[in-house]
Amino acid sequence: MVKVSQVRVRPLILPLKQPYHWSYGIRESFAVNLIEIEADDGTVGIGECTVAPDQTGSAAILKRLASHLVGHSPYDLAPLIARIFHQEYLGHGANVMRAANQMFSGIDMAMWDLQGKLAGLPVHALLGGAHRKAVGYFYFLQGETAEELARDAAAGYAHGERVFYLKVGRGEQLDLEITAAVRQEIGNARLRLDANEGWSVLEAVNMCRKLEKYDIEFIEQPTVSFSIPAMAQVRQAVSIPIVADQSAFTLYDVYEICRQQAADMICIGPREIGGIQPMMKVAAVAEAAGLNICIHSSFTTGITTCAEHHIALAIRNLDDGNQIMWQLMQKDIVSSPNLAPQNGWIDAFQGAGLGFSLDADLVAEGEVRYAAKVSA
């Protein structure tokens, strides 16, 4: 049987089209660690990890974790990751599952890509098949001021977008201004807000009441992620539906959110939960509680978009307005397939593995930017 022969980690820095504004500050670029897992027959599976808090340190951790895969079958993925977590984290007294999941997500992604390529099948087929022919995505509004966001909203509405997503938690006056400006441009289209832990319970309740008149479909993660009861308190006090995001990083988080009835939907992605297979687990837990999953993306390229798309095809309880992030970059390193939603939808992929090809020149440029930053 084929075995993993070597692992490569390639840190990349990829510039954004425009500054990214949210409650945590402003970002100018995405930093990702590309991981390539090669089998002894030459087949290569590719994944990526976000980096926090330091890219060089994250790359070193990723390389150490992935080195345990060498000599093993890619089809032993689940027990391998469980063993690595116990040896490299719990065995050293580091019960930091959230941090570990961000590393394992790239390993899991690459191993599923490798399995699919070896089998000649798309990943969603290996997960049991697709529940739908296409996956719905929302329009991610970008801009700093109300005027900039309104222009972006008008452009999206003109192109037939169905669901709009706006970052708030930037101050009460600005939040109300940008929400009003966007609503004016999109008519009766669906509008979702994400506060990214920006409010206390009292602020969240008051803001929800002031925002009700704008017909908000839901508000994502209004309160601090460490307190699921705080989010539950807000949900019980307001009429706008509440969605969990940063509160959900582990299977145990998802269970507690469901048990405490703290949210109306769970927004989570492979970067948080540790990869593709763990996403199937959290979807099952949420389904048992009657909740849908909204696929959450992060500061990632089209590689993660492809992984998220296969997940979205394979789970039953899926929202119709999921998140992608590659489009915020100046240029995506994925050259094919076309990942741009058409009127908010992307058809199912049929290529082997995760089904993408990379632009080697753009990957090399990302490595040069990383090297320049490290040497500066």
Side-chain angles (χ1 to χ4, degrees), residues 20 22 30 135-142 163 165-167 192 194 196 218 220 245-246 267-272 293-301 304-309 312 318-328 339 341 344 346:
Y20 179 92
W22 60 336
F30 286 177
V135 177
Y137 295 93
F138 62 63
Y139 187 80
F140 198 152
L141 291 160
Q142 292 294 294
V163 185
Y165 178 85
L166 175 65
K167 293 289 187 181
R192 301 173 169 184
D194 184 3
N196 287 119
F218 66 65
E220 190 175 309
D245 178 4
Q246 282 87 356
C267 184
I268 191 169
R271 173 251 187 175
E272 291 90 0
I293 293 291
C294 179
I295 303 292
H296 178 259
S297 197
S298 191
F299 303 114
T300 49
T301 76
T304 297
T305 299
C306 290
E308 292 160 349
H309 194 65
L318 182 74
D319 181 54
D320 70 341
N322 299 280
Q323 184 176 17
I324 52 177
M325 294 283 275
W326 68 267
Q327 77 280 10
L328 305 184
L339 298 177
I346 300 178

Side-chain angles (χ1 to χ4, degrees), residues 15-16 84 108 115 247 270:
L16 299 177
I84 295 168
D108 179 274
Q115 288 183 35
S247 289

Side-chain angles (χ1 to χ4, degrees), residues 177-196:
E177 286 177 0
I178 62 179
T179 303
V182 168
R183 172 51 74 194
Q184 185 173 351
E185 297 296 336
I186 66 173
N188 293 325
R190 292 151 62 188
L191 178 58
R192 301 173 169 184
L193 306 182
D194 184 3
N196 287 119

Side-chain angles (χ1 to χ4, degrees), residues 56-70:
T56 302
S58 299
I61 294 170
L62 181 60
K63 189 176 296 185
R64 172 168 174 160
L65 299 178
S67 68
H68 288 272
L69 305 173
V70 175

Side-chain angles (χ1 to χ4, degrees), residues 68-259:
H68 288 272
L69 305 173
V70 175
H72 293 279
S73 167
Y75 299 106
D76 288 335
L77 173 59
L80 282 170
I81 286 182
R83 190 181 314 151
I84 295 168
F85 179 65
H86 277 78
Q87 289 179 358
E88 296 289 1
Y89 285 91
L90 299 183
H92 294 281
N95 188 3
V96 285
M97 187 174 288
R98 287 188 170 207
N101 282 352
Q102 294 188 53
M103 296 295 103
F104 288 129
S105 64
I107 294 172
D108 179 274
M109 203 180 297
M111 290 283 269
W112 277 103
D113 187 43
L114 178 57
Q115 288 183 35
K117 287 173 178 175
L118 291 170
L121 292 170
V123 167
H124 66 260
L126 301 181
L127 295 173
H131 285 283
R132 52 195 58 85
K133 295 181 179 179
V135 177
Y137 295 93
F138 62 63
Y139 187 80
F140 198 152
L141 291 160
Q142 292 294 294
E144 179 179 8
T145 66
E147 292 75 15
E148 291 171 349
L149 287 160
R151 282 196 297 271
D152 194 19
Y157 187 72
H159 283 91
E161 295 291 343
R162 307 169 299 114
V163 185
F164 292 80
Y165 178 85
L166 175 65
K167 293 289 187 181
V168 292
R170 298 169 58 196
E172 179 178 328
Q173 182 176 349
L174 181 58
D175 285 349
L176 294 173
E177 286 177 0
I178 62 179
T179 303
V182 168
R183 172 51 74 194
Q184 185 173 351
E185 297 296 336
I186 66 173
N188 293 325
R190 292 151 62 188
L191 178 58
R192 301 173 169 184
L193 306 182
D194 184 3
N196 287 119
E197 308 180 74
W199 301 326
S200 67
V201 170
L202 179 60
E203 289 169 331
V205 171
N206 286 334
M207 284 300 297
C208 285
R209 289 171 179 168
K210 292 176 181 180
L211 290 163
E212 282 178 3
K213 62 183 178 181
Y214 299 113
D215 188 22
I216 305 305
E217 185 174 22
F218 66 65
I219 294 182
E220 190 175 309
Q221 199 61 52
T223 52
V224 62
S225 60
F226 297 110
S227 177
I228 293 173
M231 186 168 58
Q233 184 176 345
V234 173
R235 179 177 180 255
Q236 292 164 8
V238 303
S239 61
I240 297 175
I242 300 299
V243 171
D245 178 4
Q246 282 87 356
S247 289
F249 260 79
T250 72
L251 186 65
Y252 310 102
D253 295 335
V254 172
Y255 169 76
E256 278 301 314
I257 291 166
C258 294
R259 189 185 68 82

